[in-house]
Amino acid sequence: MRALLDQVRAGAVDVDSAIDRLKHLPFEDLGFAKVDHHRALRQGIPEVVFGQAKTAEQVLGIVSSLVKRSGNVLVTRASAEMAHQVKGAFTDAEYFPASGALRIWRDRAKLGKGKIALVCAGTGDLPVAEEALVTAEVMGNEVDSISDVGVAGIHRLMSHRAQLMEARVVICCAGMEGALPSVVGGMVAAPVIAVPTSVGYGASFQGLAALLGMLNSCASNVTVVNIDNGFGAGYAASLMNRL
Amino acid sequence: MRALLDQVRAGAVDVDSAIDRLKHLPFEDLGFAKVDHHRALRQGIPEVVFGQAKTAEQVLGIVSSLVKRSGNVLVTRASAEMAHQVKGAFTDAEYFPASGALRIWRDRAKLGKGKIALVCAGTGDLPVAEEALVTAEVMGNEVDSISDVGVAGIHRLMSHRAQLMEARVVICCAGMEGALPSVVGGMVAAPVIAVPTSVGYGASFQGLAALLGMLNSCASNVTVVNIDNGFGAGYAASLMNRL
Amino acid sequence: MRALLDQVRAGAVDVDSAIDRLKHLPFEDLGFAKVDHHRALRQGIPEVVFGQAKTAEQVLGIVSSLVKRSGNVLVTRASAEMAHQVKGAFTDAEYFPASGALRIWRDRAKLGKGKIALVCAGTGDLPVAEEALVTAEVMGNEVDSISDVGVAGIHRLMSHRAQLMEARVVICCAGMEGALPSVVGGMVAAPVIAVPTSVGYGASFQGLAALLGMLNSCASNVTVVNIDNGFGAGYAASLMNRL
Amino acid sequence: MRALLDQVRAGAVDVDSAIDRLKHLPFEDLGFAKVDHHRALRQGIPEVVFGQAKTAEQVLGIVSSLVKRSGNVLVTRASAEMAHQVKGAFTDAEYFPASGALRIWRDRAKLGKGKIALVCAGTGDLPVAEEALVTAEVMGNEVDSISDVGVAGIHRLMSHRAQLMEARVVICCAGMEGALPSVVGGMVAAPVIAVPTSVGYGASFQGLAALLGMLNSCASNVTVVNIDNGFGAGYAASLMNRL
Amino acid sequence: MRALLDQVRAGAVDVDSAIDRLKHLPFEDLGFAKVDHHRALRQGIPEVVFGQAKTAEQVLGIVSSLVKRSGNVLVTRASAEMAHQVKGAFTDAEYFPASGALRIWRDRAKLGKGKIALVCAGTGDLPVAEEALVTAEVMGNEVDSISDVGVAGIHRLMSHRAQLMEARVVICCAGMEGALPSVVGGMVAAPVIAVPTSVGYGASFQGLAALLGMLNSCASNVTVVNIDNGFGAGYAASLMNRL
Amino acid sequence: MRALLDQVRAGAVDVDSAIDRLKHLPFEDLGFAKVDHHRALRQGIPEVVFGQAKTAEQVLGIVSSLVKRSGNVLVTRASAEMAHQVKGAFTDAEYFPASGALRIWRDRAKLGKGKIALVCAGTGDLPVAEEALVTAEVMGNEVDSISDVGVAGIHRLMSHRAQLMEARVVICCAGMEGALPSVVGGMVAAPVIAVPTSVGYGASFQGLAALLGMLNSCASNVTVVNIDNGFGAGYAASLMNRL
Amino acid sequence: MRALLDQVRAGAVDVDSAIDRLKHLPFEDLGFAKVDHHRALRQGIPEVVFGQAKTAEQVLGIVSSLVKRSGNVLVTRASAEMAHQVKGAFTDAEYFPASGALRIWRDRAKLGKGKIALVCAGTGDLPVAEEALVTAEVMGNEVDSISDVGVAGIHRLMSHRAQLMEARVVICCAGMEGALPSVVGGMVAAPVIAVPTSVGYGASFQGLAALLGMLNSCASNVTVVNIDNGFGAGYAASLMNRL
Amino acid sequence: MRALLDQVRAGAVDVDSAIDRLKHLPFEDLGFAKVDHHRALRQGIPEVVFGQAKTAEQVLGIVSSLVKRSGNVLVTRASAEMAHQVKGAFTDAEYFPASGALRIWRDRAKLGKGKIALVCAGTGDLPVAEEALVTAEVMGNEVDSISDVGVAGIHRLMSHRAQLMEARVVICCAGMEGALPSVVGGMVAAPVIAVPTSVGYGASFQGLAALLGMLNSCASNVTVVNIDNGFGAGYAASLMNRL
């Protein structure tokens, strides 16, 4: 583009030709303005790799490439083999086997303006919560975890009122009937991100029951992400916590 | 059968022939023992007519016939026209337009041994709760109604703890995410009958979300009936309250 | 409670008895602390009535009662008859027939810290967007509406980049394939709330296709509310915009 | 709380301050009244652990802790490895491999007031029935098992009329079309708890067909639990049998 | 074809050309052999018109044309207006408003070799049963109707054992849980055609529960037709009864 | 019963007492008439064992017991291990590994009055067809198999017209879109039993697409069995072929 | 842009500033190249309005505006009222009430290079076929319609072989089991566009059965559009016929 | 047929007898005209084998037979074992392990008239795209692959505008929300074939979300094939590219 404009300036290319050629420049050239601006906005957002459909070699390659651009890289749904290879190459990589999260976390600046509360209905939901936790941490948040507070023991949840009300954003992970976000949503004035988990059997239909429950929540401050999508919840909560 | 046995006694029919003939007697003759015995057990259970697929004339005819056998008749899902005709013939018939329940309630003996608590999440669930109430009453129960205690306002529900804990059986009606029975189930040691209602929109799928939520309840004392089946809940609760 | 503590102070009741009696005080008495505190947090949140399952008389009654507590009242899914009755009593009530939103908006303080962008794929999605708009406004937000920017005409959407990137929170309403939030999510760094609408036919299954599409969005900043739940999106976006 | 009241008594804290501080005490302190009272009501209910999402080590740890509080501990969906570890530590533990139930049953008081009939359609349903049986027994019930009485051989079921009519509560386990509870429900006046099982193939959709059949039962005394939830059925039946 | 063969015979067309031209003759010319043969096999099968998606004028036109070819015409799902017009033109036409069947039945030869039993679970299923009855009659069968024998009152069904066992083919219509064909299937050795009906509400999902139940029947002699397809059941039963 | 009647005859028991005692005799005693009669009707029907949910030992035990009563025993969905054990004990047992059918076939009387045509859309459907074949043979039928005649190559199917039109009953196995029974149903006047198979991928949803297609067949002579239920089709076809 | 480049040429703006300003020009300015080019490619494609979610006034306004740009305008799913208003303003507008298509067709250039065959299974599918026909015509195609050729009467379809094989593209509309495209797909070498229709009842689930059948077609030349989407089929077929 | 015509010519068979015998000749004899003509049209289409439900031996046998008729053979969903055996016999066979495609490609004539663009949303979709690529190549097409252009990074897709607009046909593979075909469809005037993939988790329901999204595309030039059906997309695109 600069070359073209230099020629315009020098009178070597007339204005009509220049317009014509500008209109046909490939998008990526013109678009870098957007991309750079975008990147600026995205400061503090780690590079993320979805490990599931890749080989360990592919993951290692991608991580090696990304870590140069950004100190923080997150691989979700990584296998033990992926973790083994990446940790071989990057000794500061951390692997969380329950969720399959794999993290290189070098830039530890706090970017969130408050705490994110991470509430979990049962022990089976912990892997999903772990993925949310790892994500929110690497995106610069302090996370306050509250575990094993299913709605059938409402007093346990109630005893965490103070913690919940302090949070700027709340993430709720629950399987089975997925009722926790409704109760929590009624207790706080903060946005609540509900994560249905596939915990359950029979008519839970791999998390469908929890998903539908959360979408139909009678608490107005609840929004929902995909079943088992702890990463998405951690990510969205992090963006909210930066507001 | 008597005739046959008289002939056996008189020697006019030998034992082998009698055995053969007895084996082929139609079921209904032999079976009355069971039916009668059964009826005895069913004492206090009203005659019930499912109004939905019938004409007003058919309902009037059936009610007129049943009321002779039993003082208590319940028509569920009755139309206004059915109510009009039945009330024309039976001045003590009561009609509940929200639920479509139509009742003749003459034998008001108390058969339940305690109270049934009838808990309702929102005002939209009231017609279903009404059907449960009318059913439980005509089956001889005292019912304690607790309304508008959705889980997103948990403190309202908590303030009814005492009432809930007094009940021998609890019925919970809720639409949308259907989370109420899980919370109530965790608060009481009594059996809880959960009634999903079709209240909601979008991903409630006419009550499917609530139904799945209740089937996946993490409270172990919850059993479930069909969507909008207030009658079934009232009926089952009445049987439990007689135990 | 005061009486009891007076007695403790006066020595008429010993500490052990007092503890015992305090433990059994009904929840509602102790709980008011929470409720009040909660209410304080909820400042600027209007009273909301779900109109769908109520009569016009009920709605008028509830609105009359609520308007005393709070200057701002929102009725969602109100019928024309409800609007007629409420506007008869409150001349400053506004009715939005496309969405059925009915609003009394007296306290017009700006509570949101930035703009909410409200993006809409097609004209059929406008009623849902209207519900979101009316909600976000009454909760004190400035809303920037962008209409008719379906993904099959991506250049129309692209021409709104600047508006989108300025928003602190984005709401995306789309029916049919529900792809808009993914594209918008990739264009902004703000949280995006996706609202599937029931616009479409055949395999849209009343919004299910759009709902599933949004839940599976490859953009990580997208969270989802129920089908046609413009209110929920406006509400959650408002909370985020206050952060 | 005691410290505060001591101060009130001593005049070191005035009544208004005390009220204020009491209102903000964490729930768990105030709430113990409820919990204790609750526990009293729950007498005879075993501690229950859902084994599925846990490690053998976790299960052993939890069981070791629970067995101190209560003589009776039930682990559902326990693996062979869990059973091995728990039986290593507690020689009186029993393992039921078909259902995965693992039980320590020390307090064998009869708490049920009558018999629970446990009816099973086919041999494939036996693991689910076993879970119900083990649960009902450890909760202090006498259980009368009736097996292999599918509805396509109605005479086999009919020959158990007497047993069925003696029961205070009936549990029916059936897969495939799930018709058994309707037939049994019509034969008895007791509450019937229907357990759909995932037995079948093709259009059974892992128990969905049986579940829907049971929810639509034309017998009014039938309530339903989740697919394969023998534990829930045994638990609810036990509560009913104590009434 | 004849012309061609005449030319072959006369030597005006050689064999190779004839083969070539025969191979390209349109299907309908060659195919009539099949059609005529087919029609012969179909003797006694009425002409059938699916009324649903047609206008009254179209139905009258089609019926007028068909009645010339065949004495027996059946219109299924006919509206009152269709019936009015057809009865105006054909005074011997019969209309059955519950099912919408409309019939001209002139050839009343008995073609079935035995009786078809038509069993119906509840009064709501009668319209579907009526369609089956009208179809089976016009196809030359004697039909033995047994009504209101739902599985929750098994003794009523049992009292019809003799009738059921006499039938060469049994049709079972049932909505809700659709359990009737399984019980009937176990009582007879004849083929049973199960017709799920859309009777029910909530989790009956417009007949889906009954359909799934019947497809999973544990009785091996049960085959199934579409929901509410009384016509198909009557038709298939008629073919079987001719064997 | 004989003892009682002897006493009646001898005058030792009066008629009223006898009636009373007869009414309370357990069902199985009175009911044997039905069972025996039933068994007579069922002549030629093999004993059938559903292998899927059993151990090899259980299957061997059941087969050993059944083979005494009846020369013909069929185990469906038997594992290789079951086959090994049964063939060890009964050298004339045949195992069909594709379908898992295991058969002892001693009484080879022809009971069917004509041929059953067994039509199969693709090679993937052959295991289901094999189950139907093995069943129909052991029930005394001659079966004419027509393979690999999918509807996308209609001329292949057309070339089997003669075979199809000769059959008294037709079984059609097809996966994917399940269109074969509609085409075949239009070609023959015999009853057609459609067996959807789980062959396919993606939107075949394990046979659901084929099942729905077959239930909606525009050919009126088609009835349907469960997905992959070759046994049920062979069984029902056998009953029809005896008519 | 021209102004900017004039300034560059004149030396009034330096190259760096120009680059910077070019990068931030709104997309629509830069993008017109694409749009114009696109429009050139789209020559002969009518302006299309989806009538369903609009008022008659809105439709009239949009049509009035579009007709200026393009001689050909198509409104799909237009109501009679829309047709009335548009025909009042544009006397050459045509309305097709069965499908709701409304067309102004002024540029009647033939753009398709061959014929499109439009095949229709039953009379109920005709409205969908009409929408496809009206679309294909207004896009400049000759359409050859073949009606009432359901797969259960395969000889009727076979007699149209020649017509089918002449077509460059085939559209198949079918409801119920949706088998037609598989059979037609096997008969031709042209691309086949399958349109499932919502014709049927019960387990057709508003066209789902036909949709799934078509997606699972064993004919490899079949692609599918949404249920009842005659417009989409006509549109895609037109594009293919221009190739 | 020749023998018959020779006899007609010789006068040994009269014309009427000849007509009668011709009408009953088996379809395959008469039908070869159609088949040959068909085969001519199908020139350049490889023989295709669906590997999934076959043994390696069966596949080798079929391939060996087909390769004689046609130089090009494609096996889809072939296992490594199948590839091993086929490559043992045919050294020029190529195996593509990601998709399981196995190809013998001898006749490499270019039959497509332009390029097919093959667009792929993410790396997980590559196996499905590979199947489409292998198919389109063996059918004589030049394919232009564009990978990793998901809609959440719209600028990446935009930079491929030129490539997309050059293609005569576009294939789009996408999982998760399946939005890519809508965006691409709006960018090009060519037909777009959308292939939903099963990539995703949770509410992607094995590709259902992508499938529904694509069927509901707001771009009119999109048609859809089954989930993961890269072969079908490559096949249909090849036919279009020959037009």
Side-chain angles (χ1 to χ4, degrees), chain H:
Chain H
M1 185 150 63
R2 176 178 300 276
L4 177 65
L5 289 175
D6 282 339
Q7 290 177 301
V8 169
R9 176 146 218 177
V13 169
D14 66 33
V15 168
D16 282 328
S17 306
I19 288 174
D20 196 58
R21 284 161 65 183
L22 277 170
K23 279 186 176 165
H24 290 85
L25 274 177
F27 187 89
E28 60 272 48
D29 290 2
L30 299 171
F32 268 124
K34 184 174 85 63
V35 174
D36 288 347
H37 185 50
H38 198 159
R39 168 110 4 239
L41 276 177
R42 287 175 54 196
Q43 204 172 35
I45 294 182
E47 303 290 338
V48 183
V49 184
F50 183 54
Q52 201 164 267
K54 302 195 175 62
T55 63
E57 289 69 25
Q58 286 176 314
V59 166
L60 178 57
I62 298 171
V63 167
S64 303
S65 153
L66 290 176
V67 90
K68 288 172 205 157
R69 277 202 257 163
S70 157
N72 292 349
V73 177
L74 176 63
V75 186
T76 60
R77 315 209 164 205
S79 64
E81 173 59 20
M82 289 173 194
H84 181 73
Q85 294 209 6
V86 170
K87 292 175 83 168
F90 302 92
T91 52
D92 60 339
E94 305 161 276
Y95 185 54
F96 302 83
S99 60
L102 176 64
R103 178 170 69 181
I104 298 176
W105 184 17
R106 292 174 182 174
D107 172 1
R108 298 200 172 206
K110 276 279 160 288
L111 297 162
K113 297 189 177 153
K115 279 188 190 167
I116 294 171
L118 174 55
V119 193
C120 191
T123 52
D125 305 315
L126 287 174
V128 176
E130 185 182 85
E131 193 181 80
L133 173 66
V134 169
T135 303
E137 281 178 354
V138 80
M139 287 176 76
N141 297 280
E142 192 177 346
V143 179
D144 195 2
S145 290
I146 302 170
S147 293
D148 208 15
V149 289
V151 296
I154 200 74
H155 58 283
R156 286 202 305 268
L157 179 60
M158 293 304 250
S159 67
H160 293 281
R161 260 181 317 167
Q163 272 170 286
L164 286 169
M165 294 182 79
E166 258 172 47
R168 286 187 97 222
V169 186
V170 181
I171 298 170
C172 274
C173 305
M176 301 175 80
E177 77 271 65
L180 187 60
S182 294
V183 178
V184 169
M187 291 168 70
V188 301
V192 175
I193 301 173
V195 194
T197 73
S198 53
V199 168
Y201 61 89
S204 89
F205 296 123
Q206 284 80 52
L208 179 63
L211 172 62
L212 293 182
M214 291 173 179
L215 287 167
N216 285 284
S217 176
C218 50
S220 309
N221 48 351
V222 174
T223 60
V224 186
V225 295
N226 194 3
I227 298 164
D228 290 335
N229 188 7
F231 162 69
Y235 190 101
S238 298
L239 295 186
M240 292 177 200
N241 195 25
R242 289 179 191 188
L243 288 173

Side-chain angles (χ1 to χ4, degrees), chain A residues 152 176-177 179 182 186 203-204 209 213 216 218, chain B residues 152 177 179 182 186 203-204 209 213 216 218:
Chain A
M176 300 177 81
E177 79 270 63
S182 294
S204 88
N216 285 285
C218 50
Chain B
E177 80 269 63
S182 292
S204 91
N216 285 285
C218 52

